[in-house]
Structures are given as structure tokens and as C-alpha cells.
């Protein structure tokens, strides 16, 4: 659906094969449910990317893991001169989170700060000598009052383990445009899109007799 919503262009649309879930419980391997299936999808993505050898990659759908192969490829493609902006909704960091962020030298900026200025991001790009940029866009960063096609916004069974975003669409667009003007954006991942209205409507239509006889 995201690919259909995206603007038309002359770039190829490549689908990574993902087996439809048949209801069989996923096996837990080394503490991870569905590890085998995830590795198969990761390897498939790697093969596709290396077959095409693109300069830029846009990814639609899935969760954060869908970017592992594309961003790793782009980092190699651009010789380590790739920066990563992670746009996501999170609860306030715990003490352990803060320690990890500080130890790894990760720069952070909240929605309120970015509403006033994107200078901190521009300074980070310049100070780090970033020539190319990959952007992770988790749609849960958006305020659910303006965009509800999100994992935690299921009207029938709300998901309470994710923070609700507060960013507005004009603000998000402004942020991405500012980043695009500051450096060469070569990767974009658009993740965690769950169109609940479409899913529930499809299920409804599947039960209407005249549509199924």
C-alpha cells in the first residue's frame, strides 16, 4: 500500500519475498521467535540489493529490522561516510539507556526541540563530516490524532507497549526537507505502517455473501 501511495517515478519496485503467516506458532531459536524466517528475509534482501547495486534505496513497510541489509549495504557503498538519522517515538530514556547513548556518542533531539530549530542536527552533520545520510522514519513518531495507521492505534485492541508520537505532518516534512538540503540522502526507510481501517474493511468484505458467491 505504501508503494502505491508513493509518488510515481521511473525507479524499479522490488519486493523482498516474505512468506504469509499461516497461523503456525514461530519456533524460538536462541531466544528469538522466528529467527529462521527473519534470516531468510535478510538474506533475500541482501541478494536483491547486491544484484542491483543501487546508489539509493527506499524501503516500505515492516519494522525497523527491514533496514538492516539496506543500510549495511549503503554504509559499505559509501565507505563509512554514511550518517544515520533515526526518527522514532520512544519513552523517556532510562538510566541504562542514557548510559548507552552517552557511551556510543549518539546525539538525540526531542520533538519540542525540533519544533523550534533543526540546528542541532545540522551541526551534527557538519561536525561528523557526514557526506551521505540514511533516514529511518518510523511512522509512530506522528501524532495518532492526525495519523492512526500505526501498530498501537488498533481501535479493537490497543497496543500499550509503545509511546504515542507527538509530531505533526508539516513538522515531519520540514525536518526531512531540511536534512535533504544539508546532505545527500541516499536511504529512507518508512516503517510500522498498519492501515487498520483497510484491514478491518477487508475482513468485513470477506464475510459479505454477495461478494463471495
Amino acid at each position: 500500500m505504501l508503494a502505491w501511495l508513493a509518488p510515481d517515478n521511473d525507479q524499479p519496485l522490488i519486493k523482498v519475498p516474505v512468506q504469509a503467516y499461516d497461523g503456525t506458532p514461530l519456533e524460538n531459536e536462541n531466544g528469538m521467535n522466528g529467527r529462521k524466517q527473519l534470516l531468510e528475509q535478510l538474506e533475500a534482501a541482501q541478494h536483491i540489493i547486491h544484484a542491483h547495486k543501487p546508489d539509493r534505496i527506499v524501503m516500505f513497510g515492516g519494522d525497523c529490522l527491514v533496514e538492516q541489509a539496506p543500510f549495511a549495504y549503503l554504509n559499505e557503498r559509501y565507505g563509512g561516510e554514511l550518517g544515520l538519522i533515526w526518527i522514532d517515538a520512544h519513552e523517556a530514556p532510562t538510566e541504562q539507556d542514557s548510559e548507552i547513548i552517552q557511551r556510543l556518542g549518539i546525539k538525540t533531539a526531542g520533538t519540542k526541540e525540533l519544533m523550534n530549530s533543526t540546528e542541532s542536527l545540522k551541526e551534527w552533520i557538519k561536525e561528523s563530516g557526514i557526506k551521505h545520510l540514511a533516514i529511518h522514519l518510523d511512522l509512530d513518531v506522528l501524532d495518532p490524532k492526525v495519523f492512526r495507521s500505526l501498530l498501537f492505534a488498533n481501535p479493537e485492541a490497543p497496543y500499550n507497549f509503545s509511546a504515542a508520537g507527538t509530531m505533526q505532518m508539516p513538522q515531519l516534512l520540514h525536518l526531512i526537507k531540511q536534512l535533504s538540503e544539508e546532505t545527500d540522502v541516499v536511504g529512507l526507510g518508512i516503517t510500522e505502517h498498519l492501515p487498520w481501517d483497510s484491514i478491518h474493511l477487508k475482513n468485513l468484505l470477506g464475510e459479505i455473501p454477495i461478494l463471495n458467491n
Side-chain angles (χ1 to χ4, degrees), residues 4 16 57 64 72 98 144 171 177 184 186 208:
W4 174 75
V16 177
I57 304 178
C64 306
S98 298
Q171 180 188 358
K177 283 185 173 181
D184 179 29
V186 296
I208 295 178

Side-chain angles (χ1 to χ4, degrees), residues 1-7 9 13-14 57-63 66-67 188-193:
M1 181 175 287
L2 281 171
W4 174 75
L5 289 170
N9 58 52
L13 174 63
I14 309 296
I57 304 178
V58 175
M59 293 140 285
F60 294 113
D63 62 15
V66 301
E67 295 166 346
L188 174 64
I190 303 171
T191 65
E192 295 202 15
H193 177 242

Side-chain angles (χ1 to χ4, degrees), residues 2-121:
L2 281 171
W4 174 75
L5 289 170
D8 292 332
N9 58 52
D10 58 357
Q11 300 302 311
L13 174 63
I14 309 296
K15 295 182 180 180
V16 177
V18 177
Q19 289 187 353
Y21 182 55
D22 62 3
T24 304
L26 298 173
E27 293 184 18
N28 187 296
E29 305 172 61
N30 300 332
M32 180 184 297
N33 291 330
R35 183 174 184 272
K36 175 184 176 182
Q37 289 83 356
L38 291 172
L39 287 175
E40 288 175 350
Q41 294 167 22
L42 177 60
E43 290 173 0
Q46 287 178 322
H47 288 311
I48 291 170
I49 292 168
H50 286 283
H52 289 269
K53 294 182 172 58
D55 294 327
R56 304 171 189 275
I57 304 178
V58 175
M59 293 140 285
F60 294 113
D63 62 15
C64 306
L65 188 62
V66 301
E67 295 166 346
Q68 183 171 346
F71 284 175
Y73 164 82
L74 289 172
N75 187 53
E76 183 178 353
R77 168 74 176 78
Y78 291 104
E81 295 179 328
L82 180 77
L84 173 62
I85 292 284
W86 196 271
I87 305 174
D88 204 338
H90 285 281
E91 301 286 358
T94 63
E95 183 176 341
Q96 182 179 11
D97 293 335
S98 298
E99 188 276 327
I100 294 173
I101 289 171
Q102 184 176 4
R103 176 164 50 84
L104 296 178
I106 297 172
K107 303 294 185 182
T108 63
T111 301
K112 290 183 179 179
E113 175 186 341
L114 296 175
M115 284 179 66
N116 297 322
S117 172
T118 58
E119 283 304 311
S120 61
L121 296 182

Side-chain angles (χ1 to χ4, degrees), residues 144-197:
K145 292 191 292 291
V146 298
F147 186 80
R148 293 198 56 81
S149 295
L150 306 166
L151 173 61
F152 68 85
N154 183 356
E156 293 188 357
Y159 182 79
N160 298 317
F161 300 98
S162 178
T166 59
M167 193 171 283
Q168 305 299 307
M169 285 194 177
Q171 180 188 358
L172 176 60
L173 179 59
H174 176 71
L175 171 60
I176 294 176
K177 283 185 173 181
Q178 290 279 301
L179 293 171
S180 300
E181 292 174 0
E182 199 67 25
T183 189
D184 179 29
V185 177
V186 296
L188 174 64
I190 303 171
T191 65
E192 295 202 15
H193 177 242
L194 267 172
W196 293 113
D197 288 343

